[in-house]
Amino acid sequence: MEGVNLVCFLLLLGAISDGFSCVQISAMNSGIHCTESEKIALIKFRQGFRNPLQSMSSWMLEENCCKWKGVECDNKTGHVIALDLHKQFLQGEFATSLLGLPHLRHLDLSQIDFLGAQVPEFISTFKNLEYLNLSKNKFRGTIPEHLGNLSRLQFLDLSDGFSLRVDNLQWIRHLFSMKILDLSGVDMSDAKNWLHDINLLTSLTELHMSACQLDQLLPSNSFMNLTSSLRIFDLSLNHFQAPIPSWLFNTSHSLVYLNLTRSQVRGLLPNAFGNMYSLRVVDLSDNSLLGNLPPTFVNMSSVTFLDISRKSLEGNLPPALSSKLKILDLSNNNMEGPLARSIAQLRQLVVLDVSWNSFNDSITDHFLNFSNLQVLDLSSNSIILNLTATWMPRFQLDFIGLQSCQLSTHFPLWLQTQKEFSFVDISGAELSGKVPEWFWNLSAKVKHMNISNNYFRGEVPEVTERLTSLEELDLSWNNFDGPLPHFSPTMMTLILDHNSFNGTLSDCWRYGKNLAVLNLARNDLSGEVPHSIGYLTTLRWNKFEGNIPLEICQLKSLIILDLSSNALSGTIPKCVGNFLTLAGVEEVPSLIYGPFEVYREDVMMMLKERGYDHRAHFFLGIDLSENHLSGEIPGEITTLVQLRFLNLSWNNLTGAIPHDISNLHNLEALDVSRNALSCFLPSNMVKLDYLAIANFSYNRLTGKIPTGNQFATFSTDCYIGNPDLCGVPVSQGCSGHFHEDITHCNSNSPRKQEVDATQSNENNWLDESSFYISMGIGFITTFWVFWTTLLLKKSWRYAYMRYLDNMANKIYK
């Protein structure tokens, strides 16, 4: 979906920028010869590159340099006036020999790797330069202020210099002729008066400052004339935390392109948008805008691209929008009410995405009378597609998103007309019966297919193997049965859980190394876990037995390991600590709002929405519950510092909870119930600030329950079935109970050391005088208690006498 939008977006941007396209270097310099000094300068410049052979093969000493690729000369003087080496995959040095070309007007060295060098200051000596493109050069450091000397410069592109920064933009004021300025990716966090400096460029027609770490959107003075000539304005991916400024609408009749996506603008959408008659592209997606879509949007009659997705917009869609709209994306909002009447007039639509809203409407054939539509996403609304059985749409869709739409009880016949789609989602549509044979052969281009959460039955035919482009398939939560079909080796995601597939899997893994996600849970499959299961990011099996194979630790891209509800035995492999983690995973938001099942189902969707590659190398969850696993919980598991949920319940695990479990500082859910775990709960578990779900019930745990932080929120049910646990919230107090026998714990273990340290801390309240008094009382009390017990308890007497005999024997020996 995002790819389709991007293509359309770039096409529109290209159309908008027709009048501002870069100067192209002409290869026609017939009859003109360059000067010898400039020819030598070019040769020396060429020598600074490591790999010039292919891209600069025409640069030969014996030939006229005006005919060299990327070189243009003045038709009268023969001086080199333009050098364009962009996209030549060069790598090397930005040599000072370029100073031998003093007449340069056009210099494009974009996408050349200058190996982390600084932007050379000598560029400021090219007084005739009108066009300078140094984008994507891997430069580092501060942009030299001497660039302000290039007073004739009309085009400057230093974009994608994510290692470049500016301390201020005062030097930009001297570029009086500047028309197109692109500093996207440059760190401008220290340039506090950037807006005031840019405001002095009265000829500016394009301004691109995406991802510049800007945090101020209001000028230092109240006057802004920037928009009087501006046509393209891109401030996306910044950190403004402010409303859309009013100065943007003052003199905005020339603006055709506005991009504030993910710039953290907030507040209501201003009604003043209705005054921007010339706007053609509006992208306000991924912000914190609230309220209704202003009715004045009707006045923007030239808009062809409108994206206000992933916000908190609410209310109804205006009854009329620009009839020129080609792309409309209002997805992931809180909008409601009717939809059909607002889209019926948008005959030029190519992309219609209103998914994940609360629109409530019945749409008939008449309202889908589009001829150019390629993307249709009505998912997750209350929409009924009341289409006639004979309807023949005039469009060919690439993206079909109808999740949770009511399509009727039978398979929609109109889908037979769609032969070119790459994405189809008709999940949760209450469809039943068998999937028609023709559906599996509709489009050879399909990459993503989701027909889950319906009532489909029958076997999945082997014809799916012919879908050679298929990468993601979700057939879950249906009534499919029979053996697992063969799928293309290009498959990356295969979700078949909650069906009735049966049979066994051979040890020969047949889905190829591209498979990233596999979910076979809740079926009737059996047999051992195959030993050739590498490269998965999510692993879920059903009704498998035997030991967990050590090969599982080779899953270097694993995100979720789910082997729950099987018949696995043996121990948990210690090599689980080898799973890779990713620094920065803290950005992944918390998802625990309910049981583990909710977490598992939502995590992959969340990763996709957040832009994480579904094969990203970090680890989120382990679920080995409901098996026959034995042995101890391996301490190596505590090295998975980004682990979010851990479920080891309903097994036969013994020993202690690892002392270093506090290292799992991102842990949100922990379930070790229904095992035979012993020893104390580590007191440092109170450091697990994000722990929202915990269950230690039905084990053999002893001692005091940790107190404070998240542990104050856990109920008695979390500890039931451990009669030797004491403290809050169980009813049993810890007086005299905390020092009970712990011989089942290793005396040299961190667990025992923790108990000793805890006991020592609890006695620190004794001062020196009270210590001696209590020592005397304790001696007398202990003396009489000891001898009284020996007199009354026969077993103690025998044990004591044997002890004395043994001691005597040792002494005499």
Side-chain angles (χ1 to χ4, degrees), residues 36 68-69 85 232 253 268 273 316 347 421 440 525 588 623 711 768 776 784:
E36 189 65 20
W68 290 353
K69 182 179 181 180
L85 300 178
I232 295 178
H253 300 296
L268 299 175
F273 264 109
N316 293 351
R347 301 301 187 190
F421 60 86
W440 305 106
L525 301 170
V588 180
D623 191 345
F711 275 80
E768 186 175 354
W784 285 109

Side-chain angles (χ1 to χ4, degrees), residues 496-683:
L496 305 176
D497 62 290
H498 291 84
N499 279 286
S500 299
F501 290 111
N502 52 61
T504 61
L505 284 177
S506 65
D507 283 348
C508 179
W509 192 244
R510 50 184 168 175
Y511 293 113
K513 293 184 178 181
N514 291 322
L515 194 63
V517 177
L518 175 67
N519 189 344
L520 302 176
R522 306 301 191 275
N523 280 287
D524 294 322
L525 301 170
S526 59
E528 291 189 359
V529 178
H531 286 265
S532 49
I533 58 174
Y535 301 98
L536 304 188
T537 58
T538 296
L539 177 61
R540 300 178 68 181
W541 295 94
N542 176 244
K543 295 189 178 180
F544 283 87
E545 55 193 24
N547 294 342
I548 300 176
L550 294 179
E551 286 81 2
I552 207 168
C553 299
Q554 298 175 9
L555 305 179
K556 298 301 184 182
S557 296
L558 204 64
I559 294 176
I560 298 175
L561 174 63
D562 185 345
L563 299 177
S564 61
S565 302
N566 284 291
L568 298 172
S569 57
T571 60
I572 301 173
K574 293 184 178 181
C575 60
V576 294
N578 295 339
F579 291 134
L580 297 181
T581 56
L582 175 72
V585 75
E586 300 82 21
E587 300 173 5
V588 180
S590 173
L591 278 175
I592 288 294
Y593 301 110
F596 284 101
E597 190 67 28
V598 174
Y599 192 102
R600 290 195 298 257
E601 297 300 328
D602 288 350
V603 66
M604 294 308 295
M605 181 180 295
M606 175 275 299
L607 289 173
K608 187 175 182 179
E609 290 177 352
R610 292 283 171 173
Y612 287 95
D613 188 330
H614 73 289
R615 303 191 71 172
H617 293 170
F618 57 91
F619 200 69
L620 287 178
I622 297 177
D623 191 345
L624 304 178
S625 61
E626 298 185 52
N627 282 287
H628 307 300
L629 299 173
S630 58
E632 296 188 351
I633 301 174
E636 290 78 3
I637 210 168
T638 62
T639 63
L640 300 172
V641 294
Q642 277 94 25
L643 201 67
R644 296 302 178 93
F645 66 85
L646 176 61
N647 189 354
L648 305 176
S649 62
W650 291 89
N651 280 288
N652 302 314
L653 299 174
T654 58
I657 296 175
H659 178 264
D660 293 330
I661 195 171
S662 60
N663 292 344
L664 304 178
H665 52 84
N666 286 308
L667 197 65
E668 299 177 14
L670 173 65
D671 192 344
V672 293
S673 62
R674 303 282 180 171
N675 282 286
L677 298 174
S678 55
C679 293
F680 290 77
L681 289 172
S683 61

Side-chain angles (χ1 to χ4, degrees), residues 182-199:
D182 194 340
L183 297 177
S184 298
V186 176
D187 183 355
M188 296 177 55
S189 56
D190 291 332
K192 300 303 181 184
N193 294 319
W194 68 272
L195 197 53
H196 174 72
D197 298 324
I198 293 292
N199 190 42

